[in-house]
Amino acid sequence: MATSSPCVVISDEEQGYDLDLFCIPKHYASDLERVYIPHGLILDRTERLAREIMREMGGHHIVALCVLKGGYKFFADLLDYIKALNRNSDRSIPMTVDFIRLKSYCNDQSTGEIKVIGGDDLSTLTGKDIIDTGKTMKTLLQLLKQYNPKMVKVASLLVKRTPRSVGYRPDFVGFEVPDKFVVGYALDYNEYFRDLNHICVISETGKEKYKA
């Protein structure tokens, strides 16, 4: 079985950064504990993932499938970097884009029920924001098999270390993080915090304030 590419591992002891060191929307100031992964670091790591994907997928037509809603920022930035590589290197990848929505969370807990919405032409590369237990992605991969793709590769910005994991590991991973509920960079808590550039740890105040 192929192993996933190396990633940045954030230790359980990592505390992140003080909110006052970054530009945080005032309406979220009391709802967050710390900045966990700054926006600049996310972009730099995403650019590197684009290079790895180009190296491995070069020569294949890609259907880039975005898992909404949480994956849209990572997906858009990843594709921008791939397009830049297409323009500025001797090797390029023909690519089309599709979208699918998976919903499995209420508040900070997985409901165990996965709803799949959309997706017309599903084939090769999927981009997701975060792999938690892995159950959602395994469900999606089973769905993709119905379309008989030549190959399926999964890129995820985050993978959580959690005892609830089913053991699934994406092919391309940005960061491996502790089992904390994080928001920002399109990751939400009941639809809030998607407009936050950095990935942050939500506070108990924030959880209570935006509870469904």
Side-chain angles (χ1 to χ4, degrees):
M1 177 181 288
T3 57
S4 61
S5 61
C7 69
V8 177
V9 178
I10 298 178
S11 71
D12 291 344
E13 292 73 35
E14 175 60 52
Q15 296 300 307
Y17 306 90
D18 194 296
L19 297 176
D20 293 336
L21 298 174
F22 297 88
C23 296
I24 303 292
K26 288 186 177 179
H27 54 276
Y28 289 144
S30 63
D31 306 324
L32 303 167
E33 287 184 359
R34 310 276 288 179
V35 171
Y36 208 55
I37 308 177
H39 186 234
L41 183 56
I42 295 169
L43 293 181
D44 196 275
R45 181 68 186 128
T46 302
E47 183 177 11
R48 179 60 190 232
L49 288 178
R51 286 170 56 185
E52 292 175 6
I53 289 168
M54 282 285 286
R55 187 167 58 242
E56 186 160 331
M57 304 289 288
H60 294 280
H61 173 87
I62 290 179
V63 176
L65 177 65
C66 177
V67 180
L68 297 170
K69 295 180 184 176
Y72 83 86
K73 281 287 291 176
F74 172 56
F75 183 80
D77 288 336
L78 182 64
L79 260 59
D80 280 345
Y81 286 124
I82 290 175
K83 287 188 290 185
L85 289 168
N86 272 345
R87 292 193 303 269
N88 300 308
S89 65
D90 295 331
R91 197 178 189 188
S92 63
I93 301 175
M95 184 168 54
T96 54
V97 174
D98 205 347
F99 299 87
I100 194 168
R101 184 178 176 192
L102 303 180
K103 187 170 177 61
S104 62
Y105 266 85
C106 181
N107 296 328
D108 60 346
Q109 299 296 317
S110 175
T111 61
E113 179 185 359
I114 299 166
K115 296 179 181 178
V116 180
I117 307 165
D120 299 320
D121 180 24
L122 312 180
S123 280
T124 45
L125 176 71
T126 62
K128 196 178 190 304
D129 53 337
I130 183 167
I131 303 292
D132 190 345
T133 64
K135 291 178 182 177
T136 302
M137 186 50 65
K138 288 190 84 169
T139 298
L140 175 57
L141 292 175
Q142 287 297 318
L143 173 68
L144 291 176
K145 280 185 179 180
Q146 300 173 20
Y147 295 82
N148 298 313
K150 291 180 180 177
M151 70 174 79
V152 176
K153 299 286 185 181
V154 177
S156 180
L157 180 63
L158 305 179
V159 169
K160 280 187 182 180
R161 292 189 299 276
T162 171
R164 302 185 306 279
S165 173
V166 296
Y168 174 75
R169 186 86 178 181
D171 303 281
F172 305 99
V173 179
F175 303 88
E176 181 185 293
V177 298
D179 191 11
K180 297 182 179 182
F181 197 85
V182 292
V183 295
Y185 193 67
L187 297 169
D188 76 304
Y189 178 80
N190 293 331
E191 299 301 326
Y192 291 93
F193 301 103
R194 295 194 194 276
D195 54 337
L196 183 64
N197 277 341
H198 313 290
I199 291 178
C200 301
V201 178
I202 189 173
S203 66
E204 291 303 318
T205 303
K207 287 182 182 180
E208 190 60 35
K209 182 176 177 180
Y210 299 111
K211 194 173 184 180

